[in-house]
Amino acid sequence: MMGKSRLEAFSDGVIAIIITIMVLELRVPGSGSNWQALSPLVPVFLSYVLSFVYLGIYWNNHHHMAHTIGRVTGAMLWANLHLLFWLSLFPAATAWMDTTHFAAVPVGVYGGVLLMAAVAYWILQQIIIRSQGRHSVLGRAIGRDWKGKASPLLYLLAIGLCGRWPRAALGVYAFVALIWLVPDRRIERALASVAD
Amino acid sequence: MMGKSRLEAFSDGVIAIIITIMVLELRVPGSGSNWQALSPLVPVFLSYVLSFVYLGIYWNNHHHMAHTIGRVTGAMLWANLHLLFWLSLFPAATAWMDTTHFAAVPVGVYGGVLLMAAVAYWILQQIIIRSQGRHSVLGRAIGRDWKGKASPLLYLLAIGLCGRWPRAALGVYAFVALIWLVPDRRIERALASVAD
Amino acid sequence: MMGKSRLEAFSDGVIAIIITIMVLELRVPGSGSNWQALSPLVPVFLSYVLSFVYLGIYWNNHHHMAHTIGRVTGAMLWANLHLLFWLSLFPAATAWMDTTHFAAVPVGVYGGVLLMAAVAYWILQQIIIRSQGRHSVLGRAIGRDWKGKASPLLYLLAIGLCGRWPRAALGVYAFVALIWLVPDRRIERALASVAD
Amino acid sequence: MMGKSRLEAFSDGVIAIIITIMVLELRVPGSGSNWQALSPLVPVFLSYVLSFVYLGIYWNNHHHMAHTIGRVTGAMLWANLHLLFWLSLFPAATAWMDTTHFAAVPVGVYGGVLLMAAVAYWILQQIIIRSQGRHSVLGRAIGRDWKGKASPLLYLLAIGLCGRWPRAALGVYAFVALIWLVPDRRIERALASVAD
């Protein structure tokens, strides 16, 4: 009954703004005008790239998932807002890592935000699958969903590592981003087979 | 004559930006990197959650209400901008509560913004209902609209409580959010009965 | 050949962000938590209302004008970007008036931005009218366009008043906003007569 | 299979926000209220105009290019995000030039961002052309693409000039903007010939 275009448009808007707000952190401190002035920006830049890639992954997969929605329900609207809530914490979590030079607690909090966003995405996915009944396109598309199941475990592992090795935790976050970088071709394939 | 897609898109854009601008408040002060550094953020975080939920409620109900619009009139455009104006004051009102540790006047001003947004929503709703004539889909959908009528009274009650018990006022704001959290199923149902 | 939906969507996005960025000025200074702390905000609030109303007028009239566009040309895209450029200076011009307590030069600069936005709107309007040929819907709709012709003259008058009476200039700005507040019913009417 | 409307809408959103975030730099420093107070803003204003024009060019050409897309692939989504990434660095690069009064390194970094954005645009263009097969509309439209080939060379030349003559480098950036200001009529023409 409800179209999904507004759900898509609103999510696009919020994710676009979250991505762009992070850029506000990329300020060269003081009035230095040489290459040395840029050096404190290097970790800030790298953490911006990491968060940008994560938000890009969420946007891409959201794009594919929303494509399978038939009728938008109230539960979907709220599950989607719940996902956007956790994504909206990326800029603050990224900024705290930056200003503390990637100390243990901030890196762990960043991992907690990643974890909660993954949980929120999973909840939204389940609500969509249930609404589609037994022969759910999305349900078949994600199949056993090993990426969706492995990611939260890897985040938990990384959070456990933070106390001693925050840099190792960051490595795990980057690794999870890499395994997701391939967009959800499973859904593309399943949709293609429906179209045939 | 005018399509409603731009009214929806513009409202989505403004609400998406308002939600995301509030995130700019979520900054860990100083250079602390432990859990104690997060403790002053707890009330800021809770007030962010409250305002996020309120904006989510307005977005959801706006989504449902706009769905019933046939033809966009000039009066609707301005009633909608009027609603967006009051919603745009959420970040400033939330920030003032935060920096004053939820003192009486700022909590009352926040309630005033909630009240004016509710009034603006009611005006927009009335204009849409009138434009639909006697057998208004929206008019039937909202029915006796007890939520819409109780909310302003509860906000007024909360504003009255602020002088002595600002925390009780916050409790009332949270309570009103809870009774609205269920999206407007009345409209969904009325639309469904029309479709049949 | 090109659809106008992206031109509309992009303009909506930019105007939505400009409106919302102005809210960032609405910060209660210091840590005051009583009504007196709000008093320095009163002029800031009033100038926010004025700029919000102006941007609302531009958005509404843009909405009506874009409705008459058939085919988007390169010239329209650039004339539209030119309009958005001057609108994007509203937050900076408003903020300068605020911090200088409405001194002569800042009030005059604000008027200059209003003037340039009006000129940019007129250019966009002319380009659309020319693209529609002799029986232009928009051309007939705006008719003699007395509002469009009077506004720049009133802005020039107000800028002239700034040196001695900046408050009188503000009064003129508010007056021009008032005569525009009624959305462009001329276009609505002309479109309706075409539809008949 | 996937519609291109979300790719367009998301790109519009990000570019709209990037353009508007740059406005946050346009702040009159201190509390000066006369014309002299504006003089330090002149170079800031000019660099804002330059970056605004560049983002306008990218938006316009993106508009034309996206028009030729038939089916959105995962590779396109990521090539598009890659382009948006480099565009998102415009505000930070512009701000660094401003605060250092256009010193050698910041002007060179700005050129590097221009170069990377051009490369990202070229990659996206190639991916779209390949997806369209031998008789690609976009491929025919851009033809020999001399602008697309000359721009990176001119950026490299300008970066080389920065060490000694940063102002000459800025002149080259402005010159490249000028040769692009004409929107991609080649694509308009090719699409028109297809429509015939």
Side-chain angles (χ1 to χ4, degrees):
Chain A
M1 190 165 64
M2 296 279 156
K4 68 189 167 197
S5 60
R6 264 193 95 175
L7 183 133
E8 292 183 330
F10 186 71
S11 308
D12 285 358
V14 172
I15 297 176
I17 301 160
I18 294 170
I19 274 189
T20 332
I21 269 183
M22 290 192 304
V23 185
L24 294 172
E25 294 299 316
L26 286 175
R27 300 215 51 131
V28 180
S31 58
S33 63
N34 48 22
W35 289 108
Q36 282 78 51
L38 277 186
S39 69
L41 267 191
V42 171
V44 177
F45 184 77
L46 290 177
S47 67
Y48 173 57
V49 172
L50 182 65
S51 295
F52 188 100
V53 168
Y54 261 112
L55 287 164
I57 290 166
Y58 273 105
W59 180 71
N60 271 5
N61 289 339
H62 193 276
H63 181 120
H64 286 77
M65 183 167 66
H67 204 75
T68 72
I69 298 177
R71 181 178 162 282
V72 174
T73 64
M76 278 180 214
L77 290 178
W78 278 105
N80 191 56
L81 275 168
H82 179 235
L83 171 61
L84 294 177
F85 176 81
W86 291 106
L87 296 182
S88 81
L89 298 181
F90 271 64
T94 309
W96 198 30
M97 287 205 304
D98 293 342
T99 52
T100 60
H101 307 290
F102 303 91
V105 177
V107 172
V109 166
Y110 186 83
V113 171
L114 288 179
L115 178 63
M116 291 310 297
V119 169
Y121 189 86
W122 182 85
I123 292 172
L124 175 56
Q125 190 174 264
Q126 291 309 110
I127 287 173
I128 295 172
I129 289 174
R130 261 170 223 180
S131 78
Q132 294 174 337
R134 283 224 296 190
H135 302 290
S136 161
V137 181
L138 181 58
R140 246 181 316 142
I142 61 165
R144 289 167 49 209
D145 192 23
W146 68 268
K147 280 189 200 174
K149 282 173 187 150
S151 304
L153 296 177
L154 287 166
Y155 294 143
L156 282 171
L157 169 73
I159 293 169
L161 290 172
C162 279
R164 291 233 174 169
W165 305 284
R167 258 124 235 263
L170 286 167
V172 176
Y173 303 155
F175 174 75
V176 178
L178 276 179
I179 64 175
W180 277 103
L181 258 179
V182 182
D184 232 317
R185 289 184 195 281
R186 298 168 302 177
I187 299 180
E188 273 192 73
R189 236 178 289 128
L191 279 167
S193 74
V194 164
D196 291 345
Chain B
M1 190 164 64
M2 296 280 156
K4 68 190 168 198
S5 59
R6 264 192 94 174
L7 183 134
E8 292 182 331
F10 186 71
S11 309
D12 285 358
V14 172
I15 297 176
I17 300 160
I18 295 170
I19 275 188
T20 331
I21 269 183
M22 289 191 303
V23 184
L24 294 173
E25 294 299 316
L26 286 174
R27 301 214 50 128
V28 180
S31 58
S33 63
N34 48 21
W35 289 108
Q36 282 78 50
L38 277 186
S39 69
L41 268 192
V42 171
V44 178
F45 183 77
L46 290 177
S47 66
Y48 173 57
V49 171
L50 183 65
S51 294
F52 188 99
V53 168
Y54 262 112
L55 287 164
I57 290 166
Y58 273 106
W59 181 73
N60 271 5
N61 289 340
H62 193 276
H63 180 119
H64 286 76
M65 182 167 67
H67 205 74
T68 72
I69 298 178
R71 180 177 164 282
V72 174
T73 64
M76 278 180 213
L77 290 178
W78 278 106
N80 191 56
L81 275 168
H82 179 235
L83 171 62
L84 294 177
F85 177 81
W86 291 106
L87 296 182
S88 81
L89 298 182
F90 271 63
T94 309
W96 197 30
M97 288 205 303
D98 292 342
T99 52
T100 60
H101 306 290
F102 303 92
V105 176
V107 172
V109 167
Y110 186 83
V113 172
L114 288 179
L115 178 64
M116 292 309 298
V119 169
Y121 188 86
W122 182 86
I123 292 172
L124 176 57
Q125 191 174 263
Q126 291 309 109
I127 287 173
I128 294 172
I129 288 173
R130 263 171 221 179
S131 78
Q132 294 173 338
R134 284 223 296 189
H135 301 290
S136 161
V137 181
L138 182 58
R140 248 180 317 140
I142 61 165
R144 288 168 49 209
D145 192 23
W146 67 269
K147 279 189 201 175
K149 283 172 187 151
S151 305
L153 297 177
L154 287 166
Y155 294 142
L156 283 171
L157 168 74
I159 294 169
L161 290 171
C162 279
R164 292 234 174 172
W165 305 283
R167 257 123 235 264
L170 286 167
V172 176
Y173 303 155
F175 174 75
V176 177
L178 276 179
I179 64 175
W180 276 103
L181 258 179
V182 183
D184 232 318
R185 288 183 195 280
R186 299 167 301 176
I187 300 181
E188 273 191 73
R189 235 179 288 127
L191 279 167
S193 74
V194 165
D196 290 346
Chain C
M1 189 165 64
M2 296 280 156
K4 68 189 167 198
S5 60
R6 265 193 93 176
L7 182 135
E8 292 182 331
F10 186 71
S11 308
D12 285 358
V14 172
I15 296 176
I17 301 159
I18 294 170
I19 274 188
T20 331
I21 270 184
M22 289 192 304
V23 185
L24 294 172
E25 294 299 316
L26 287 174
R27 300 214 53 130
V28 180
S31 59
S33 63
N34 47 22
W35 289 108
Q36 282 78 51
L38 277 185
S39 68
L41 267 192
V42 172
V44 178
F45 184 77
L46 291 177
S47 66
Y48 173 58
V49 172
L50 182 65
S51 294
F52 188 99
V53 168
Y54 262 111
L55 287 164
I57 290 166
Y58 273 105
W59 181 73
N60 271 6
N61 289 339
H62 193 277
H63 181 119
H64 286 76
M65 183 167 67
H67 204 73
T68 73
I69 297 178
R71 181 178 162 282
V72 175
T73 63
M76 278 180 213
L77 291 178
W78 278 106
N80 192 55
L81 275 167
H82 179 236
L83 171 61
L84 295 176
F85 177 80
W86 290 107
L87 296 182
S88 81
L89 298 182
F90 271 64
T94 309
W96 198 30
M97 287 204 304
D98 293 342
T99 52
T100 59
H101 306 291
F102 302 92
V105 176
V107 172
V109 167
Y110 187 82
V113 171
L114 288 178
L115 177 65
M116 291 310 297
V119 169
Y121 189 85
W122 182 85
I123 292 172
L124 176 56
Q125 191 173 264
Q126 291 308 110
I127 286 173
I128 294 172
I129 289 174
R130 261 170 224 180
S131 78
Q132 294 173 338
R134 284 224 296 190
H135 302 289
S136 161
V137 181
L138 181 58
R140 247 179 318 141
I142 61 166
R144 289 168 49 209
D145 192 23
W146 67 269
K147 279 189 201 174
K149 282 173 188 149
S151 304
L153 296 177
L154 287 166
Y155 295 142
L156 282 171
L157 169 73
I159 294 169
L161 291 172
C162 279
R164 291 234 174 170
W165 304 284
R167 258 124 234 264
L170 287 167
V172 175
Y173 303 155
F175 174 75
V176 177
L178 276 178
I179 65 176
W180 276 104
L181 258 180
V182 182
D184 232 317
R185 288 183 195 281
R186 298 167 303 176
I187 299 180
E188 273 191 73
R189 235 179 289 128
L191 279 167
S193 74
V194 164
D196 291 346
Chain D
M1 189 165 63
M2 296 280 155
K4 67 189 168 199
S5 59
R6 264 193 94 175
L7 183 134
E8 292 182 331
F10 186 71
S11 309
D12 285 359
V14 172
I15 297 176
I17 301 160
I18 295 169
I19 274 188
T20 331
I21 270 184
M22 289 191 304
V23 185
L24 294 173
E25 293 300 316
L26 286 175
R27 300 213 51 128
V28 179
S31 58
S33 62
N34 47 22
W35 288 108
Q36 281 79 49
L38 277 186
S39 69
L41 267 192
V42 172
V44 178
F45 183 77
L46 291 177
S47 66
Y48 174 56
V49 171
L50 183 66
S51 294
F52 188 99
V53 167
Y54 261 112
L55 287 165
I57 289 166
Y58 273 105
W59 180 72
N60 271 6
N61 289 339
H62 193 276
H63 181 120
H64 286 76
M65 183 166 68
H67 204 74
T68 72
I69 298 178
R71 180 178 163 280
V72 174
T73 64
M76 278 180 213
L77 291 178
W78 279 105
N80 192 55
L81 275 168
H82 179 234
L83 171 61
L84 294 177
F85 177 80
W86 291 107
L87 296 181
S88 81
L89 298 182
F90 270 64
T94 309
W96 198 30
M97 288 205 303
D98 292 342
T99 52
T100 60
H101 306 289
F102 303 92
V105 176
V107 172
V109 167
Y110 186 83
V113 171
L114 288 179
L115 178 64
M116 291 310 297
V119 169
Y121 188 86
W122 182 85
I123 292 171
L124 176 57
Q125 190 174 264
Q126 290 310 109
I127 287 173
I128 295 172
I129 289 174
R130 261 171 223 179
S131 78
Q132 294 174 338
R134 283 224 295 190
H135 302 289
S136 161
V137 180
L138 182 58
R140 247 181 317 143
I142 60 165
R144 289 169 48 210
D145 193 24
W146 67 269
K147 280 189 200 175
K149 282 173 188 149
S151 304
L153 296 177
L154 286 166
Y155 295 142
L156 282 172
L157 169 73
I159 294 169
L161 290 172
C162 281
R164 292 234 173 170
W165 305 284
R167 257 125 236 262
L170 286 167
V172 176
Y173 302 155
F175 174 75
V176 177
L178 276 179
I179 64 175
W180 276 104
L181 259 180
V182 183
D184 231 318
R185 289 184 194 279
R186 298 167 302 178
I187 299 181
E188 274 191 73
R189 236 178 288 127
L191 279 167
S193 73
V194 164
D196 292 344

